[in-house]
Amino acid sequence: MNTSALSIHTLTKAYGALTALDSFNLEVDQGSIFGLLGPNGAGKTTLIRILTTLMRQSSGSATIEGFDIFQSGQEIRRIIGVVSQENSLDRYLTARENLELHARLHGMERRLYAPRIDELLELMGLSGRQKDFPDTFSGGMQRRLVIARALVHLPRVLFLDEPTTGLDPQSRRAVWEYIRSLAGKMTIFLTTHYLEEAEQLCDRIAIMDHGKLIAIGSTQELKDHLNGATVYEIDFAEGAAHSAELLGNMPCVIDIKQIGNKVVVTLECWECLAEIVTALNGAPVRRISLQERTLEDVFISLTGEKVRE
Ligand SMILES: Nc1ncnc2c1ncn2[C@@H]1O[C@H](COP(=O)(O)OP(=O)(O)OP(=O)(O)O)[C@@H](O)[C@H]1O
Ligand SMILES: [Mg+2]
């Protein structure tokens, strides 16, 4: 039995000499929320454009709910919902008409789509503005309308390319809550640069760079990939510089940074903490706290600190 909503095999896309997607493989379970992360230019939008049949791959293959993206474009467009990275609303239609047009293009009857559109407008906080044109909306309101539109026809697989970029914290939370409420009812494939968003929402996360998949797993599994190093922050009442120098010479200390009265020390493993505490004997330590590893640490350790062009 095939329970993969998405099945991607050696998918490759070249733009001239640039390989934007390089032998990409991935399986996404039905009903899951899957997050794809990667620096600017990693190839996320390219992958989504190919999967949503807006663009052809150079080689390789992929299926969505068993339909081949190359051969069954029409079936696929019927069962997917897409929120693209750029808002693509019809500016000559009102907010409500944008949703109605989408419903009709999907062959829905008015008695089905009218209440559904009411519900989505309400949910996205746009009921009061449904007769207005998108050009008169703020960026965040347009984004919410695009998300509502992608959901009108109850897709089986929902693609969200940076769904919450440009949203204020309230709207972002509302969108998260809604995405969560959809879990299990449809498969959700999203990209984001907000690592907290991925951590909060996604069952599984993939990190890609230069067109290739470089890591995959749950947030916890990805964090476990980081080496055993643990980071502690030590607050001193005084003499932080002196203690930093002392600790910096210890073999179990991998890295040390002093910022004012604080010293951030990276240890080979948590067992080294006892040695550190012994070495600090008599120093005016106010507090020692463990710095939890974040998804951002994983991301930076895998993709580097360099800003992408
Ligand atoms: N139509 C195109 N023609 C030529 N090169 C392109 C085209 N679209 C994208 N690229 C290139 O392909 C690479 C991947 O781009 P893509 O838009 O897929 O990245 P992304 O991961 O979505 O980045 P971002 O986080 O900035 O949205 C980039 O190097 C980009 O410059
Ligand atoms: Mg993109």
Side-chain angles (χ1 to χ4, degrees), residues 14-28:
Y15 297 111
L18 177 91
T19 307
L21 203 59
D22 196 352
S23 284
F24 199 88
N25 294 301
L26 185 67
E27 298 287 325
V28 174

Side-chain angles (χ1 to χ4, degrees), residues 41 43-46 85 161-162 191 193:
K44 305 179 296 296
T45 298
T46 299
Q85 193 166 354
D161 199 355
E162 299 189 30
T191 76
H193 289 297

